Amino acid sequence: MCGIVGYIGHREAFPIVLEGLKRLEYRGYDSAGIAVYNGEHIELCKTKGKVSDLEDKVKAEMNTSGTVAIGHTRWATHGVPNDVNSHPHYSNSGELVIIHNGIIENYASLKKELISRGYTFKSDTDTEVLINLIEDVQKNENVKLGKAVQIALNQVIGAYAIAVFDKKKPNEIVVAKLGSPLAIGVGENEFFIASDATPFLEYTKKAIYLEDEQMAIVRLKKGIKIRKIKTDSVVAPYVQELQMNLEQIVKGGYEHFMLKEIHEQPNAIKDTYRGRLNAKEGLIRMAGIDDNIERFLNANRIIIIACGTSWHAGLVAEYIFEDLARIPVEVEYASEFRYRNPVITENDVVIAISQSGETADTLAAIKLAKSKGAFVFGVCNVVGSSIARETHAGAYTHAGPEIGVASTKAFTTQITVLTLIALKLAKEKGSISHSNFHYHLQELELIPAKVEKALLQDDHIKKIADIYKDAKNCLYLGRGFNFPVALEGALKLKEISYIHAEGYPAAEMKHGPIALIDEHMPVFVIATKKGHYEKVVSNIEEIKARKGKIIGIVTEGDEAVKSIADHVIEVPETLESLSPLLTTIPLQLLSYHIAVLLERNVDQPRNLAKSVTVE
């Protein structure tokens, strides 16, 4: 929930770290800061606001010359967003400086102890406590920086990705990880440190991803030494070749990353099933499923754990798995799952879904499920992420980098992967006919082209957005496979426009929400022809009778809804189980255009961060 960047090498460090902060601003954007070592002392500048505010302040106040720097973009946990609470933080002596992503849960007791020893604190942060604890250990134990970091981290409770610099050791940066991501880019006599690989893509394609409870001393001319924090044992660095391209993390002519990512969905869905789906031969190949097929086929039930948009994808999957594969499914919020003493057995399969692969609650739920003997399968987008490493097996979505905080292509690619799994299990179990299986595969192959067609409604959707941009409340209704899409549509509107919205099963409207409906209430109703069409039309009639404003998401050629709705948005026809891949598109575009018309910061909505790495 914060972005950290560091550089040590032969280049000017400031522009590298500043550009890196811009690329990581999706992780936090309420304040930012940077520290540069100029060969004699540490220059530090930080400010409330965005990285652009930091850049302006640096130009006015700071000498940026130097080949070592660390920077931070913050999502506030301890202390309000202001200049003082922004990172980096000095130790009391001013010789050490730190950046930190995570939470030190026992910071209050540590702070009290340090105050008793004469330490003073300028900020309200847990991070300033940690850097002074490191300094205290360094002085009292008479140890080098790396050892001091290790000893200090064995005293803290919480989560962290940190980078620490000591001006007395100008050729090294010490980094460590527990629960928050940390990548080290390896160049020619230079190293890059970041929350993900995007800040150093143009400099090196070689990266090391630290595991939990590992620390590394990154040293010029001496390389990288990695140790386990608890046992002090040495770990051999594993260098990965990055597959990501720089073009994937720029806007490419679009006004916002979110709009770009909405329009990337046809290719993202295609990339997700490419190499896995062969409709002509009637085959689905997925190594993570093939290698563990008996665990799935013999499962008493499947438990899906996720948060936010990924939870909505899990709800769609519940309908698909139970309909096609006839396996009982439960969908759980990961944030609740671990705290309610769930019943988990060795015969359960747990599917954990996360775009980033770093979601703290989902990771904690995975560890709980594994401790109970369940088989855990991960679905995530980021190669080498914590969830990819922590699960027994898994499948990547291949959506490409998703920078916009409000998730779009992650949702549709997660549904694509989960549909492939459900179809494969249905074929193996014999719960789907040969002809129906082939029909599903053929229809899934056609989805990217149908998404492209749905995107052609953009201008029409923008006009509808302009009509309802000033609404104070909105209601989203769907049934069956499209009930979760109603939830997701409402979430998108809340996230980026700050308009209150609720998603409901259409049949539940009469059990409460109908009391809200009047001539000022826009109601977005997903009413495709497949499924419970007639019943949804009846719901629309009930809304119309109470003067509600109806925006229908309908199948091409629909006449019944068009005759009673205020507006309709058409999507191509497909199988009911695949319809969420199409019906979600207009709801994404509606939210986007409403937010733009209201002059919201679409890619960086207030109080939110892309990767939720703290509980």
Side-chain angles (χ1 to χ4, degrees), residues 505-543:
E508 285 291 302
M509 182 183 67
K510 292 187 288 293
H511 296 273
I514 199 168
L516 300 172
I517 294 173
D518 60 18
E519 67 272 21
H520 304 296
M521 172 70 84
V523 184
F524 300 90
V525 186
I526 304 165
T528 52
K529 284 183 180 177
K530 300 293 175 65
H532 309 285
Y533 178 71
E534 292 79 10
K535 293 186 181 296
V536 176
V537 172
S538 296
N539 294 138
I540 293 172
E541 293 279 14
E542 292 162 352
I543 298 165

Side-chain angles (χ1 to χ4, degrees), residues 23 162 185 202 217 222 225 228 361 367 385 465 537 562 579 607:
R23 293 180 188 174
I162 61 170
E202 65 262 55
I217 303 175
K222 292 185 179 180
K225 180 176 282 188
K228 293 185 178 180
D361 288 311
K367 292 173 183 177
S385 59
V537 172
K562 184 180 288 187
S579 63
N607 302 331

Side-chain angles (χ1 to χ4, degrees), residues 397-463:
T397 54
H398 301 302
E402 190 179 64
I403 307 300
V405 167
S407 191
T408 52
K409 63 179 179 174
F411 180 65
T412 48
T413 55
Q414 286 166 355
I415 292 173
T416 302
V417 163
L418 293 162
T419 300
L420 289 171
I421 296 171
L423 283 167
K424 186 169 184 64
L425 295 181
K427 178 78 180 305
E428 293 289 337
K429 288 189 69 178
S431 58
I432 188 171
S433 69
H434 182 75
S435 60
N436 198 16
F437 178 74
H438 274 266
Y439 185 37
H440 274 77
L441 298 192
Q442 290 164 0
E443 280 296 308
L444 187 54
E445 273 197 334
L446 294 173
I447 287 294
K450 292 182 178 183
V451 172
E452 286 184 354
K453 195 171 183 182
L455 288 167
L456 296 176
Q457 295 278 328
D458 192 34
D459 288 342
H460 173 55
I461 292 168
K462 188 174 182 179
K463 292 174 183 175

Side-chain angles (χ1 to χ4, degrees), residues 180-214:
S180 296
L182 191 64
I184 303 169
V186 182
E188 292 294 327
N189 198 33
E190 61 180 351
F191 298 98
F192 307 81
I193 297 152
S195 299
D196 66 38
T198 57
F200 53 79
L201 276 178
E202 65 262 55
Y203 301 103
T204 181
K205 287 296 185 73
K206 295 179 180 179
I208 298 168
Y209 290 92
L210 287 191
E211 301 279 356
D212 275 352
E213 297 185 336
Q214 287 184 354

